[in-house]
Amino acid sequence: SPTPAPPDSRMPRRPPRPPPYTDLHPKRWRDRPDVLTDSLWLFPSRATGRGHTLSYHGNFVPQIATQLITRFTRPGDVVLDLFLGAGTTAIEARALGRKCVGVDIQPRLVRLVRERLGGESDHTRLIAGDSAAPKTHRLVRAALRELGAASAGLLILHPPYRDIIRFSDLPGDLSAESDTRRFLARFTRIARAGLRLLAPGRFLGLVIGDMYEHRQVVPLGFLCMNALLRLGPGPALKAVIVKDIQGNERGKGKSGPLWRYRALLGGFYIFKHEYVMLFQKPAAKAGRS
């Protein structure tokens, strides 16, 4: 049998350390059962409190923001949301000890979120503007500097699911775009700008669903995924998470029996899920920031 090597010739085993994008220690994973690591997220109900409200259609459940912020940022990091909506990301970032820069094309929504947060603070900057516009990108960079950051630690994108819910008639509002190609072209511009504002090696969370049109499925989630993967140098796809949206149609004022009847008649299935797609921006090369 081979002679074992002497103990002093073996390389010492280094204890695992948290990745640079999180403070969750791998050795203490049993202490955090609240942090999900499976690709199926089932939330029995929408989290309430902290200023969250059901008065605005289209906002995503706070649990998604909580999971992404907890898993992929450290306290004090800046979370960037380029589709702020009713402010879910900003509310959760503040509650979790992170900072937030939020952008929405609707000034009234930005005012609403500012009121819910009790005004801006040393931890929050809210911007009313078109997330595809260079002027808005300059405002975001200025906001990051004001918060003491050169770039964002996490990017969250929760765009409208094309024109399923029309939020406004403002030029540049993705929810007013009825053509999928134009929707994707504009989404790509926003995603590219967001990645430039994201620190190397950090994560992007895309919250997106699919839609029906002309009696067939439009795989909007995967079309947006492919748009991101084609960006060069493209981010790495780390996960495709399926999240349930039980009661979604009822929440839009549509009865379950009616949609079951339509599904049986039309040969389709009722959407009860959406995607949370995780991407990681390439790490900086040696000698680059």
Side-chain angles (χ1 to χ4, degrees):
S1 61
T3 303
D8 57 1
S9 69
R10 296 173 182 170
M11 293 293 293
R13 180 176 295 178
R14 296 181 179 179
R17 294 184 297 177
Y21 53 79
T22 183
D23 64 341
L24 299 177
H25 201 289
K27 290 187 68 175
R28 295 193 291 273
W29 60 270
R30 291 183 178 85
D31 299 336
R32 297 301 304 271
D34 58 304
V35 177
L36 303 177
T37 53
D38 295 334
S39 63
L40 178 62
W41 291 1
L42 304 175
F43 300 132
S45 62
R46 177 186 173 85
T48 58
R50 297 180 180 175
H52 295 297
T53 176
L54 290 174
S55 62
Y56 180 74
H57 286 302
N59 51 346
F60 64 106
V61 300
Q63 293 97 315
I64 295 177
T66 299
Q67 289 295 323
L68 297 181
I69 293 169
T70 302
R71 178 91 186 270
F72 297 109
T73 65
R74 293 172 175 269
D77 281 351
V78 180
V79 182
L80 173 60
D81 188 334
L82 294 178
F83 298 96
L84 181 65
T88 300
T89 296
I91 293 170
E92 289 303 298
R94 182 181 65 174
L96 295 168
R98 276 68 167 176
K99 303 175 184 179
C100 180
V101 175
V103 181
D104 199 274
I105 198 168
Q106 298 185 72
R108 69 175 184 85
L109 277 181
V110 173
R111 291 193 297 268
L112 174 65
V113 176
R114 190 174 285 119
E115 291 172 3
R116 286 178 178 164
L117 293 173
E120 292 184 344
S121 65
D122 293 339
H123 293 79
T124 308
R125 292 291 183 275
L126 304 177
I127 299 168
D130 181 353
S131 290
K135 177 183 177 181
T136 303
H137 308 160
R138 292 192 292 270
L139 292 174
V140 171
R141 289 199 180 277
L144 288 168
R145 289 193 296 270
E146 291 174 4
L147 296 178
S151 52
L154 172 67
L155 173 62
I156 293 180
L157 298 178
H158 182 222
Y161 301 174
R162 223 190 68 187
D163 57 347
I164 291 180
I165 301 176
R166 188 157 186 160
F167 297 107
S168 80
D169 295 319
L170 293 169
D173 190 333
L174 283 177
S175 72
E177 187 57 75
S178 60
D179 181 88
T180 300
R181 289 186 179 181
R182 288 197 293 266
F183 174 94
L184 290 170
R186 192 164 190 85
F187 168 79
T188 301
R189 287 176 57 192
I190 295 172
R192 181 183 290 110
L195 282 169
R196 289 171 179 162
L197 296 162
L198 182 67
R202 304 305 288 265
F203 284 75
L204 180 163
L206 171 64
V207 185
I208 189 72
D210 298 323
M211 58 180 293
Y212 283 113
E213 185 178 48
H214 305 310
R215 298 177 176 266
Q216 61 184 349
V217 174
V218 177
L220 196 63
F222 291 100
L223 292 174
C224 289
M225 178 192 76
N226 286 331
L228 276 165
L229 291 174
R230 285 196 296 267
L231 293 175
L237 179 63
K238 302 291 286 189
V240 177
I241 299 160
V242 175
K243 181 250 168 217
D244 70 320
I245 49 173
Q246 296 296 325
N248 185 58
E249 296 302 334
R250 207 166 290 118
K252 294 178 182 177
K254 300 173 183 176
S255 70
L258 174 60
W259 276 93
R260 178 172 169 79
Y261 168 79
R262 289 177 175 174
L264 291 169
L265 184 65
F268 64 85
Y269 288 82
I270 303 167
F271 287 135
K272 296 292 184 181
H273 71 279
E274 60 188 348
Y275 307 107
V276 182
M277 297 178 175
L278 267 296
F279 301 81
Q280 187 175 22
K281 182 177 177 177
K285 295 181 180 179
R288 290 188 177 182
S289 59

